[in-house]
Amino acid sequence: MRQANAKRPLLWLDDLAPGQAFESSCRTITRDEIVTFAAAFDPQPFHVDEEAAKASLFKGLAASGIHTFAVSIRLLLESTFALASGLISTGGEIQWKKPVRPGDVLRLKIEISDVATDPESDRGTVTLDIQTLNQNDEVVQTFAPRVVAFQRPRNSH
Amino acid sequence: MRQANAKRPLLWLDDLAPGQAFESSCRTITRDEIVTFAAAFDPQPFHVDEEAAKASLFKGLAASGIHTFAVSIRLLLESTFALASGLISTGGEIQWKKPVRPGDVLRLKIEISDVATDPESDRGTVTLDIQTLNQNDEVVQTFAPRVVAFQRPRNSH
């Protein structure tokens, strides 16, 4: 389902093991993006209003956690963790650790923590530890999704 | 921080106890919204391309889980769970249970599962069980966030 990319080998369940690590590119979060996203989905003063944000617990404008989550998923899709069958998750634990500010540059560190195969099926469940870091190497978010992966088809290499 | 709303009493930590339940309004998810959101944050064929989606595990166009999450947070913000200090979460477990399809009408069932107070502080942590349901009363997503709540100020009623 994912388009082929010569620089990025497509992965099947058979290719995956705990401890394998993957990385993403970077993405800058702008003030406009923070306000536009929050206006649609999380229109609280500390996400949309600079002045109100100063008086809040965040002490300044901060991205909605859902926005940080969405940007992290985009980075994951473009990362070297490129499943041949696409990225389908049944969920996981998300934690927001630090505020994301206008101008922050986000990137991911991705590691496989568990691979569960089902001998009676062609699919398995891969659990990831995903850290979203800012330009100061501070972890702003962690997400530990369970992801569906498929065995390599017998006619594929 | 949240604007007052006569129909929706603002809640402080002191007002909250396990077992209390809250409800949201409804929101319809359109095909255009599904495709636009996914194009920005989760541009996989089964979220943006009707024909490709038919051949996928989803067997038809489905909303990105992040989109369902974002819409659920918007519904939570407008629900009767209206914290006086706004909605600030440190995270929680999210689970995607069923696909969300174009035209689905989503709403929330919200229940407090735990309230943890800190006698040395003015704040506490409230854990919620949030179910996102569709028009057929099927649970499409669950989220169990930990939310920051504050004691009512002594000069406030």
Side-chain angles (χ1 to χ4, degrees), chain A residues 2-11 16 20-26 71-84 86-87 106-112 128-132 145 147, chain B residues 41 43-44:
Chain A
R2 183 189 292 280
Q3 287 198 327
N5 179 335
K7 295 179 186 170
R8 211 176 60 155
L10 294 181
L11 303 168
L16 306 174
Q20 290 174 351
F22 307 87
E23 297 215 340
S24 78
S25 58
C26 297
V71 168
S72 298
I73 295 300
R74 179 72 194 238
L75 287 169
L76 179 61
L77 281 170
E78 296 167 353
S79 76
T80 53
F81 181 75
L83 287 185
L87 190 75
L106 302 185
R107 64 189 169 87
L108 306 183
K109 284 189 182 176
I110 305 152
E111 188 169 320
I112 295 178
L128 303 175
D129 277 337
I130 304 176
Q131 294 184 321
T132 304
V147 170
Chain B
F41 297 111
Q44 302 194 80

mmCIF file of all heavy atoms in Angstrom, chain A residues 2-11 16 20-26 71-84 86-87 106-112 128-132 145 147, chain B residues 41 43-44:
data_model
loop_
_atom_site.group_PDB
_atom_site.id
_atom_site.type_symbol
_atom_site.label_atom_id
_atom_site.label_comp_id
_atom_site.label_asym_id
_atom_site.label_seq_id
_atom_site.Cartn_x
_atom_site.Cartn_y
_atom_site.Cartn_z
ATOM 1 N N ARG A 2 1.986 1.189 0.703
ATOM 2 C CA ARG A 2 2.893 2.328 0.706
ATOM 3 C C ARG A 2 3.650 2.370 -0.617
ATOM 4 O O ARG A 2 4.035 1.334 -1.159
ATOM 5 C CB ARG A 2 3.886 2.155 1.862
ATOM 6 C CG ARG A 2 4.832 3.306 2.033
ATOM 7 C CD ARG A 2 5.883 2.923 3.051
ATOM 8 N NE ARG A 2 5.297 2.789 4.379
ATOM 9 C CZ ARG A 2 5.021 3.795 5.179
ATOM 10 N NH1 ARG A 2 5.234 5.015 4.777
ATOM 11 N NH2 ARG A 2 4.534 3.588 6.383
ATOM 12 N N GLN A 3 3.871 3.560 -1.144
ATOM 13 C CA GLN A 3 4.633 3.665 -2.387
ATOM 14 C C GLN A 3 6.084 3.293 -2.145
ATOM 15 O O GLN A 3 6.668 3.633 -1.116
ATOM 16 C CB GLN A 3 4.544 5.090 -2.927
ATOM 17 C CG GLN A 3 3.172 5.389 -3.514
ATOM 18 C CD GLN A 3 3.224 6.602 -4.413
ATOM 19 O OE1 GLN A 3 3.989 7.512 -4.160
ATOM 20 N NE2 GLN A 3 2.418 6.604 -5.440
ATOM 21 N N ALA A 4 6.649 2.622 -3.125
ATOM 22 C CA ALA A 4 8.045 2.207 -3.012
ATOM 23 C C ALA A 4 8.963 3.434 -2.965
ATOM 24 O O ALA A 4 8.659 4.470 -3.524
ATOM 25 C CB ALA A 4 8.415 1.332 -4.188
ATOM 26 N N ASN A 5 10.031 3.293 -2.257
ATOM 27 C CA ASN A 5 11.005 4.376 -2.129
ATOM 28 C C ASN A 5 12.375 3.720 -2.079
ATOM 29 O O ASN A 5 12.707 2.989 -1.149
ATOM 30 C CB ASN A 5 10.721 5.168 -0.843
ATOM 31 C CG ASN A 5 11.712 6.307 -0.637
ATOM 32 O OD1 ASN A 5 12.836 6.259 -1.136
ATOM 33 N ND2 ASN A 5 11.289 7.314 0.096
ATOM 34 N N ALA A 6 13.170 3.973 -3.086
ATOM 35 C CA ALA A 6 14.441 3.265 -3.233
ATOM 36 C C ALA A 6 15.335 3.454 -2.015
ATOM 37 O O ALA A 6 16.113 2.569 -1.659
ATOM 38 C CB ALA A 6 15.155 3.751 -4.490
ATOM 39 N N LYS A 7 15.217 4.602 -1.356
ATOM 40 C CA LYS A 7 16.101 4.884 -0.222
ATOM 41 C C LYS A 7 15.594 4.237 1.061
ATOM 42 O O LYS A 7 16.261 4.286 2.075
ATOM 43 C CB LYS A 7 16.183 6.391 0.008
ATOM 44 C CG LYS A 7 16.835 7.149 -1.128
ATOM 45 C CD LYS A 7 16.851 8.638 -0.810
ATOM 46 C CE LYS A 7 17.374 9.430 -1.999
ATOM 47 N NZ LYS A 7 17.180 10.871 -1.796
ATOM 48 N N ARG A 8 14.397 3.706 0.998
ATOM 49 C CA ARG A 8 13.747 3.276 2.227
ATOM 50 C C ARG A 8 13.187 1.887 2.022
ATOM 51 O O ARG A 8 12.073 1.717 1.526
ATOM 52 C CB ARG A 8 12.609 4.267 2.514
ATOM 53 C CG ARG A 8 12.331 4.469 3.966
ATOM 54 C CD ARG A 8 11.281 5.521 4.157
ATOM 55 N NE ARG A 8 10.020 5.168 3.521
ATOM 56 C CZ ARG A 8 8.844 5.645 3.916
ATOM 57 N NH1 ARG A 8 8.763 6.495 4.895
ATOM 58 N NH2 ARG A 8 7.742 5.297 3.296
ATOM 59 N N PRO A 9 13.923 0.828 2.405
ATOM 60 C CA PRO A 9 13.426 -0.529 2.168
ATOM 61 C C PRO A 9 12.109 -0.754 2.907
ATOM 62 O O PRO A 9 11.947 -0.323 4.049
ATOM 63 C CB PRO A 9 14.528 -1.426 2.737
ATOM 64 C CG PRO A 9 15.537 -0.551 3.363
ATOM 65 C CD PRO A 9 15.165 0.877 3.160
ATOM 66 N N LEU A 10 11.182 -1.439 2.254
ATOM 67 C CA LEU A 10 9.900 -1.739 2.883
ATOM 68 C C LEU A 10 10.041 -2.971 3.771
ATOM 69 O O LEU A 10 10.653 -3.964 3.378
ATOM 70 C CB LEU A 10 8.833 -1.955 1.813
ATOM 71 C CG LEU A 10 8.518 -0.696 1.008
ATOM 72 C CD1 LEU A 10 7.427 -0.978 -0.023
ATOM 73 C CD2 LEU A 10 8.082 0.444 1.927
ATOM 74 N N LEU A 11 9.470 -2.892 4.949
ATOM 75 C CA LEU A 11 9.670 -3.917 5.973
ATOM 76 C C LEU A 11 8.436 -4.795 6.130
ATOM 77 O O LEU A 11 7.297 -4.319 6.127
ATOM 78 C CB LEU A 11 9.977 -3.249 7.318
ATOM 79 C CG LEU A 11 11.185 -2.303 7.306
ATOM 80 C CD1 LEU A 11 11.232 -1.484 8.588
ATOM 81 C CD2 LEU A 11 12.466 -3.117 7.139
ATOM 82 N N LEU A 16 11.533 -7.754 11.389
ATOM 83 C CA LEU A 16 11.505 -6.922 12.597
ATOM 84 C C LEU A 16 11.881 -7.706 13.849
ATOM 85 O O LEU A 16 11.483 -8.859 14.016
ATOM 86 C CB LEU A 16 10.107 -6.321 12.771
ATOM 87 C CG LEU A 16 9.590 -5.546 11.541
ATOM 88 C CD1 LEU A 16 8.149 -5.110 11.755
ATOM 89 C CD2 LEU A 16 10.488 -4.355 11.231
ATOM 90 N N GLN A 20 15.642 -3.053 17.362
ATOM 91 C CA GLN A 20 15.911 -2.328 16.111
ATOM 92 C C GLN A 20 15.463 -0.873 16.259
ATOM 93 O O GLN A 20 14.418 -0.592 16.829
ATOM 94 C CB GLN A 20 15.168 -2.985 14.949
ATOM 95 C CG GLN A 20 15.722 -4.337 14.555
ATOM 96 C CD GLN A 20 14.873 -5.024 13.489
ATOM 97 O OE1 GLN A 20 13.788 -4.569 13.158
ATOM 98 N NE2 GLN A 20 15.375 -6.130 12.974
ATOM 99 N N ALA A 21 16.297 0.025 15.732
ATOM 100 C CA ALA A 21 16.027 1.459 15.886
ATOM 101 C C ALA A 21 15.877 2.124 14.525
ATOM 102 O O ALA A 21 16.476 1.700 13.533
ATOM 103 C CB ALA A 21 17.150 2.120 16.670
ATOM 104 N N PHE A 22 15.067 3.174 14.493
ATOM 105 C CA PHE A 22 14.745 3.893 13.262
ATOM 106 C C PHE A 22 14.714 5.385 13.581
ATOM 107 O O PHE A 22 14.502 5.776 14.726
ATOM 108 C CB PHE A 22 13.372 3.442 12.734
ATOM 109 C CG PHE A 22 13.252 1.952 12.569
ATOM 110 C CD1 PHE A 22 12.854 1.148 13.643
ATOM 111 C CD2 PHE A 22 13.554 1.340 11.366
ATOM 112 C CE1 PHE A 22 12.751 -0.228 13.505
ATOM 113 C CE2 PHE A 22 13.456 -0.041 11.220
ATOM 114 C CZ PHE A 22 13.059 -0.822 12.289
ATOM 115 N N GLU A 23 14.924 6.209 12.544
ATOM 116 C CA GLU A 23 14.905 7.656 12.778
ATOM 117 C C GLU A 23 14.068 8.365 11.736
ATOM 118 O O GLU A 23 13.790 7.838 10.664
ATOM 119 C CB GLU A 23 16.336 8.197 12.793
ATOM 120 C CG GLU A 23 17.145 7.611 13.941
ATOM 121 C CD GLU A 23 18.146 8.575 14.547
ATOM 122 O OE1 GLU A 23 18.512 9.558 13.887
ATOM 123 O OE2 GLU A 23 18.548 8.338 15.710
ATOM 124 N N SER A 24 13.675 9.571 12.069
ATOM 125 C CA SER A 24 12.839 10.361 11.159
ATOM 126 C C SER A 24 13.589 11.607 10.703
ATOM 127 O O SER A 24 14.651 11.933 11.229
ATOM 128 C CB SER A 24 11.557 10.797 11.872
ATOM 129 O OG SER A 24 11.820 11.891 12.719
ATOM 130 N N SER A 25 13.006 12.304 9.759
ATOM 131 C CA SER A 25 13.495 13.642 9.427
ATOM 132 C C SER A 25 12.976 14.624 10.488
ATOM 133 O O SER A 25 12.380 14.210 11.486
ATOM 134 C CB SER A 25 13.012 14.036 8.027
ATOM 135 O OG SER A 25 11.604 13.978 7.998
ATOM 136 N N CYS A 26 13.218 15.915 10.267
ATOM 137 C CA CYS A 26 12.813 16.965 11.210
ATOM 138 C C CYS A 26 11.635 17.745 10.644
ATOM 139 O O CYS A 26 11.436 17.781 9.428
ATOM 140 C CB CYS A 26 13.954 17.956 11.430
ATOM 141 S SG CYS A 26 15.407 17.226 12.162
ATOM 142 N N VAL A 71 1.703 15.596 14.188
ATOM 143 C CA VAL A 71 2.986 15.849 13.507
ATOM 144 C C VAL A 71 3.921 14.649 13.693
ATOM 145 O O VAL A 71 4.642 14.247 12.761
ATOM 146 C CB VAL A 71 3.624 17.143 14.038
ATOM 147 C CG1 VAL A 71 5.072 17.281 13.572
ATOM 148 C CG2 VAL A 71 2.803 18.358 13.608
ATOM 149 N N SER A 72 3.884 14.041 14.857
ATOM 150 C CA SER A 72 4.735 12.875 15.118
ATOM 151 C C SER A 72 4.350 11.701 14.222
ATOM 152 O O SER A 72 5.220 10.951 13.741
ATOM 153 C CB SER A 72 4.636 12.465 16.590
ATOM 154 O OG SER A 72 5.091 13.506 17.428
ATOM 155 N N ILE A 73 3.057 11.531 13.975
ATOM 156 C CA ILE A 73 2.614 10.438 13.094
ATOM 157 C C ILE A 73 3.068 10.708 11.660
ATOM 158 O O ILE A 73 3.518 9.797 10.954
ATOM 159 C CB ILE A 73 1.078 10.271 13.180
ATOM 160 C CG1 ILE A 73 0.664 9.817 14.582
ATOM 161 C CG2 ILE A 73 0.581 9.277 12.117
ATOM 162 C CD1 ILE A 73 1.247 8.514 15.039
ATOM 163 N N ARG A 74 3.002 11.972 11.239
ATOM 164 C CA ARG A 74 3.495 12.313 9.898
ATOM 165 C C ARG A 74 4.998 11.985 9.786
ATOM 166 O O ARG A 74 5.453 11.421 8.780
ATOM 167 C CB ARG A 74 3.244 13.799 9.618
ATOM 168 C CG ARG A 74 3.738 14.285 8.273
ATOM 169 C CD ARG A 74 2.854 13.732 7.154
ATOM 170 N NE ARG A 74 3.439 13.872 5.845
ATOM 171 C CZ ARG A 74 2.869 14.520 4.817
ATOM 172 N NH1 ARG A 74 1.697 15.099 4.975
ATOM 173 N NH2 ARG A 74 3.442 14.569 3.647
ATOM 174 N N LEU A 75 5.742 12.335 10.843
ATOM 175 C CA LEU A 75 7.185 12.032 10.831
ATOM 176 C C LEU A 75 7.423 10.522 10.831
ATOM 177 O O LEU A 75 8.346 10.020 10.170
ATOM 178 C CB LEU A 75 7.872 12.679 12.045
ATOM 179 C CG LEU A 75 8.038 14.198 11.971
ATOM 180 C CD1 LEU A 75 8.486 14.758 13.327
ATOM 181 C CD2 LEU A 75 9.050 14.584 10.884
ATOM 182 N N LEU A 76 6.602 9.776 11.556
ATOM 183 C CA LEU A 76 6.725 8.316 11.591
ATOM 184 C C LEU A 76 6.485 7.716 10.207
ATOM 185 O O LEU A 76 7.222 6.814 9.767
ATOM 186 C CB LEU A 76 5.729 7.748 12.606
ATOM 187 C CG LEU A 76 5.690 6.232 12.775
ATOM 188 C CD1 LEU A 76 7.042 5.695 13.255
ATOM 189 C CD2 LEU A 76 4.585 5.814 13.746
ATOM 190 N N LEU A 77 5.481 8.231 9.503
ATOM 191 C CA LEU A 77 5.161 7.711 8.172
ATOM 192 C C LEU A 77 6.308 7.925 7.192
ATOM 193 O O LEU A 77 6.478 7.155 6.254
ATOM 194 C CB LEU A 77 3.904 8.398 7.631
ATOM 195 C CG LEU A 77 2.582 7.882 8.179
ATOM 196 C CD1 LEU A 77 1.446 8.793 7.753
ATOM 197 C CD2 LEU A 77 2.337 6.465 7.695
ATOM 198 N N GLU A 78 7.067 8.990 7.413
ATOM 199 C CA GLU A 78 8.175 9.321 6.508
ATOM 200 C C GLU A 78 9.514 8.800 7.039
ATOM 201 O O GLU A 78 10.558 9.091 6.465
ATOM 202 C CB GLU A 78 8.236 10.840 6.320
ATOM 203 C CG GLU A 78 6.990 11.392 5.641
ATOM 204 C CD GLU A 78 6.875 12.904 5.727
ATOM 205 O OE1 GLU A 78 7.689 13.533 6.437
ATOM 206 O OE2 GLU A 78 5.965 13.449 5.092
ATOM 207 N N SER A 79 9.488 8.059 8.127
ATOM 208 C CA SER A 79 10.723 7.589 8.760
ATOM 209 C C SER A 79 11.236 6.322 8.080
ATOM 210 O O SER A 79 10.617 5.803 7.145
ATOM 211 C CB SER A 79 10.462 7.294 10.242
ATOM 212 O OG SER A 79 9.756 6.064 10.364
ATOM 213 N N THR A 80 12.348 5.812 8.579
ATOM 214 C CA THR A 80 12.893 4.564 8.045
ATOM 215 C C THR A 80 12.114 3.340 8.549
ATOM 216 O O THR A 80 12.385 2.219 8.113
ATOM 217 C CB THR A 80 14.383 4.417 8.412
ATOM 218 O OG1 THR A 80 14.527 4.571 9.827
ATOM 219 C CG2 THR A 80 15.222 5.478 7.704
ATOM 220 N N PHE A 81 11.161 3.540 9.468
ATOM 221 C CA PHE A 81 10.274 2.441 9.865
ATOM 222 C C PHE A 81 9.135 2.391 8.843
ATOM 223 O O PHE A 81 8.066 2.966 9.057
ATOM 224 C CB PHE A 81 9.740 2.652 11.281
ATOM 225 C CG PHE A 81 8.837 1.527 11.735
ATOM 226 C CD1 PHE A 81 9.380 0.302 12.097
ATOM 227 C CD2 PHE A 81 7.461 1.680 11.789
ATOM 228 C CE1 PHE A 81 8.558 -0.748 12.504
ATOM 229 C CE2 PHE A 81 6.630 0.635 12.201
ATOM 230 C CZ PHE A 81 7.189 -0.574 12.555
ATOM 231 N N ALA A 82 9.387 1.745 7.718
ATOM 232 C CA ALA A 82 8.471 1.777 6.570
ATOM 233 C C ALA A 82 7.880 0.393 6.357
ATOM 234 O O ALA A 82 8.431 -0.435 5.635
ATOM 235 C CB ALA A 82 9.218 2.248 5.333
ATOM 236 N N LEU A 83 6.737 0.136 6.980
ATOM 237 C CA LEU A 83 6.100 -1.168 6.831
ATOM 238 C C LEU A 83 5.511 -1.299 5.425
ATOM 239 O O LEU A 83 4.871 -0.372 4.925
ATOM 240 C CB LEU A 83 4.979 -1.342 7.854
ATOM 241 C CG LEU A 83 5.391 -1.564 9.300
ATOM 242 C CD1 LEU A 83 4.144 -1.839 10.145
ATOM 243 C CD2 LEU A 83 6.372 -2.720 9.426
ATOM 244 N N ALA A 84 5.713 -2.460 4.840
ATOM 245 C CA ALA A 84 5.194 -2.709 3.490
ATOM 246 C C ALA A 84 3.677 -2.584 3.440
ATOM 247 O O ALA A 84 3.103 -2.193 2.428
ATOM 248 C CB ALA A 84 5.627 -4.098 3.023
ATOM 249 N N GLY A 86 1.807 -0.590 5.274
ATOM 250 C CA GLY A 86 1.307 0.672 5.803
ATOM 251 C C GLY A 86 1.247 0.648 7.316
ATOM 252 O O GLY A 86 1.498 -0.384 7.951
ATOM 253 N N LEU A 87 0.928 1.790 7.894
ATOM 254 C CA LEU A 87 0.943 1.930 9.349
ATOM 255 C C LEU A 87 -0.478 1.869 9.890
ATOM 256 O O LEU A 87 -1.250 2.809 9.751
ATOM 257 C CB LEU A 87 1.601 3.263 9.726
ATOM 258 C CG LEU A 87 1.907 3.434 11.207
ATOM 259 C CD1 LEU A 87 3.121 2.604 11.597
ATOM 260 C CD2 LEU A 87 2.135 4.891 11.549
ATOM 261 N N LEU A 106 10.941 19.392 15.533
ATOM 262 C CA LEU A 106 10.661 18.066 16.106
ATOM 263 C C LEU A 106 11.221 16.957 15.223
ATOM 264 O O LEU A 106 11.283 17.074 14.013
ATOM 265 C CB LEU A 106 9.149 17.872 16.276
ATOM 266 C CG LEU A 106 8.432 18.899 17.146
ATOM 267 C CD1 LEU A 106 6.967 18.502 17.320
ATOM 268 C CD2 LEU A 106 9.108 19.053 18.507
ATOM 269 N N ARG A 107 11.631 15.870 15.884
ATOM 270 C CA ARG A 107 12.062 14.667 15.169
ATOM 271 C C ARG A 107 11.780 13.482 16.087
ATOM 272 O O ARG A 107 11.491 13.666 17.282
ATOM 273 C CB ARG A 107 13.563 14.735 14.827
ATOM 274 C CG ARG A 107 14.451 14.754 16.040
ATOM 275 C CD ARG A 107 15.920 15.035 15.680
ATOM 276 N NE ARG A 107 16.658 15.292 16.910
ATOM 277 C CZ ARG A 107 17.223 14.349 17.676
ATOM 278 N NH1 ARG A 107 17.119 13.076 17.328
ATOM 279 N NH2 ARG A 107 17.855 14.664 18.795
ATOM 280 N N LEU A 108 11.875 12.269 15.527
ATOM 281 C CA LEU A 108 11.554 11.068 16.293
ATOM 282 C C LEU A 108 12.766 10.173 16.497
ATOM 283 O O LEU A 108 13.634 10.091 15.626
ATOM 284 C CB LEU A 108 10.492 10.229 15.562
ATOM 285 C CG LEU A 108 9.191 10.874 15.138
ATOM 286 C CD1 LEU A 108 8.282 9.822 14.513
ATOM 287 C CD2 LEU A 108 8.494 11.573 16.294
ATOM 288 N N LYS A 109 12.785 9.495 17.639
ATOM 289 C CA LYS A 109 13.588 8.287 17.818
ATOM 290 C C LYS A 109 12.615 7.135 17.983
ATOM 291 O O LYS A 109 11.704 7.199 18.813
ATOM 292 C CB LYS A 109 14.464 8.388 19.075
ATOM 293 C CG LYS A 109 15.679 9.269 18.910
ATOM 294 C CD LYS A 109 16.583 9.115 20.136
ATOM 295 C CE LYS A 109 17.793 10.020 20.035
ATOM 296 N NZ LYS A 109 18.623 9.944 21.264
ATOM 297 N N ILE A 110 12.795 6.093 17.197
ATOM 298 C CA ILE A 110 11.849 4.975 17.148
ATOM 299 C C ILE A 110 12.608 3.687 17.461
ATOM 300 O O ILE A 110 13.671 3.433 16.878
ATOM 301 C CB ILE A 110 11.232 4.860 15.732
ATOM 302 C CG1 ILE A 110 10.598 6.187 15.307
ATOM 303 C CG2 ILE A 110 10.221 3.712 15.666
ATOM 304 C CD1 ILE A 110 10.572 6.395 13.810
ATOM 305 N N GLU A 111 12.068 2.887 18.377
ATOM 306 C CA GLU A 111 12.699 1.596 18.662
ATOM 307 C C GLU A 111 11.621 0.536 18.834
ATOM 308 O O GLU A 111 10.546 0.800 19.385
ATOM 309 C CB GLU A 111 13.563 1.689 19.936
ATOM 310 C CG GLU A 111 14.382 0.440 20.174
ATOM 311 C CD GLU A 111 15.442 0.603 21.283
ATOM 312 O OE1 GLU A 111 16.065 1.678 21.347
ATOM 313 O OE2 GLU A 111 15.614 -0.344 22.074
ATOM 314 N N ILE A 112 11.907 -0.664 18.344
ATOM 315 C CA ILE A 112 10.968 -1.775 18.526
ATOM 316 C C ILE A 112 11.177 -2.361 19.919
ATOM 317 O O ILE A 112 12.292 -2.741 20.272
ATOM 318 C CB ILE A 112 11.182 -2.862 17.457
ATOM 319 C CG1 ILE A 112 10.846 -2.302 16.070
ATOM 320 C CG2 ILE A 112 10.331 -4.094 17.757
ATOM 321 C CD1 ILE A 112 11.066 -3.295 14.930
ATOM 322 N N LEU A 128 6.138 -0.349 19.485
ATOM 323 C CA LEU A 128 7.211 0.632 19.308
ATOM 324 C C LEU A 128 7.337 1.525 20.540
ATOM 325 O O LEU A 128 6.345 1.776 21.232
ATOM 326 C CB LEU A 128 6.909 1.532 18.103
ATOM 327 C CG LEU A 128 6.685 0.856 16.749
ATOM 328 C CD1 LEU A 128 6.268 1.900 15.707
ATOM 329 C CD2 LEU A 128 7.957 0.154 16.305
ATOM 330 N N ASP A 129 8.552 1.997 20.803
ATOM 331 C CA ASP A 129 8.771 3.127 21.720
ATOM 332 C C ASP A 129 9.163 4.306 20.850
ATOM 333 O O ASP A 129 10.230 4.282 20.230
ATOM 334 C CB ASP A 129 9.904 2.826 22.710
ATOM 335 C CG ASP A 129 9.426 2.029 23.897
ATOM 336 O OD1 ASP A 129 8.220 2.079 24.203
ATOM 337 O OD2 ASP A 129 10.259 1.351 24.523
ATOM 338 N N ILE A 130 8.316 5.304 20.794
ATOM 339 C CA ILE A 130 8.585 6.472 19.948
ATOM 340 C C ILE A 130 8.763 7.697 20.840
ATOM 341 O O ILE A 130 7.871 8.044 21.620
ATOM 342 C CB ILE A 130 7.430 6.730 18.964
ATOM 343 C CG1 ILE A 130 7.166 5.488 18.112
ATOM 344 C CG2 ILE A 130 7.737 7.943 18.084
ATOM 345 C CD1 ILE A 130 5.976 5.632 17.184
ATOM 346 N N GLN A 131 9.929 8.313 20.734
ATOM 347 C CA GLN A 131 10.167 9.577 21.434
ATOM 348 C C GLN A 131 10.105 10.706 20.412
ATOM 349 O O GLN A 131 10.742 10.625 19.357
ATOM 350 C CB GLN A 131 11.547 9.590 22.081
ATOM 351 C CG GLN A 131 11.707 8.583 23.207
ATOM 352 C CD GLN A 131 13.076 8.709 23.872
ATOM 353 O OE1 GLN A 131 14.074 8.938 23.195
ATOM 354 N NE2 GLN A 131 13.105 8.578 25.180
ATOM 355 N N THR A 132 9.371 11.760 20.741
ATOM 356 C CA THR A 132 9.419 12.984 19.933
ATOM 357 C C THR A 132 10.313 13.972 20.667
ATOM 358 O O THR A 132 10.057 14.295 21.840
ATOM 359 C CB THR A 132 8.009 13.576 19.746
ATOM 360 O OG1 THR A 132 7.155 12.586 19.160
ATOM 361 C CG2 THR A 132 8.052 14.808 18.860
ATOM 362 N N PRO A 145 2.914 2.725 20.493
ATOM 363 C CA PRO A 145 1.812 2.081 19.766
ATOM 364 C C PRO A 145 2.049 0.608 19.481
ATOM 365 O O PRO A 145 3.175 0.152 19.322
ATOM 366 C CB PRO A 145 1.770 2.859 18.442
ATOM 367 C CG PRO A 145 3.176 3.271 18.216
ATOM 368 C CD PRO A 145 3.738 3.549 19.601
ATOM 369 N N VAL A 147 1.359 -1.926 16.548
ATOM 370 C CA VAL A 147 1.212 -1.753 15.104
ATOM 371 C C VAL A 147 1.046 -3.127 14.454
ATOM 372 O O VAL A 147 1.699 -4.092 14.848
ATOM 373 C CB VAL A 147 2.465 -1.024 14.554
ATOM 374 C CG1 VAL A 147 2.484 -1.039 13.038
ATOM 375 C CG2 VAL A 147 2.520 0.406 15.087
ATOM 376 N N PHE B 41 -1.580 14.919 7.800
ATOM 377 C CA PHE B 41 -0.890 14.251 8.898
ATOM 378 C C PHE B 41 -0.748 12.738 8.755
ATOM 379 O O PHE B 41 0.096 12.137 9.420
ATOM 380 C CB PHE B 41 -1.614 14.562 10.220
ATOM 381 C CG PHE B 41 -1.601 16.011 10.580
ATOM 382 C CD1 PHE B 41 -2.760 16.767 10.545
ATOM 383 C CD2 PHE B 41 -0.415 16.635 10.930
ATOM 384 C CE1 PHE B 41 -2.745 18.122 10.859
ATOM 385 C CE2 PHE B 41 -0.385 17.984 11.254
ATOM 386 C CZ PHE B 41 -1.549 18.731 11.217
ATOM 387 N N PRO B 43 -1.138 10.628 5.417
ATOM 388 C CA PRO B 43 -1.544 10.477 4.016
ATOM 389 C C PRO B 43 -1.362 9.066 3.487
ATOM 390 O O PRO B 43 -0.630 8.845 2.522
ATOM 391 C CB PRO B 43 -0.638 11.479 3.297
ATOM 392 C CG PRO B 43 0.598 11.528 4.132
ATOM 393 C CD PRO B 43 0.137 11.328 5.558
ATOM 394 N N GLN B 44 -2.012 8.103 4.101
ATOM 395 C CA GLN B 44 -1.967 6.727 3.628
ATOM 396 C C GLN B 44 -3.172 6.471 2.720
ATOM 397 O O GLN B 44 -4.229 7.068 2.900
ATOM 398 C CB GLN B 44 -1.965 5.752 4.809
ATOM 399 C CG GLN B 44 -0.788 5.986 5.763
ATOM 400 C CD GLN B 44 -0.602 4.836 6.726
ATOM 401 O OE1 GLN B 44 -0.030 3.814 6.376
ATOM 402 N NE2 GLN B 44 -1.086 4.990 7.946
#
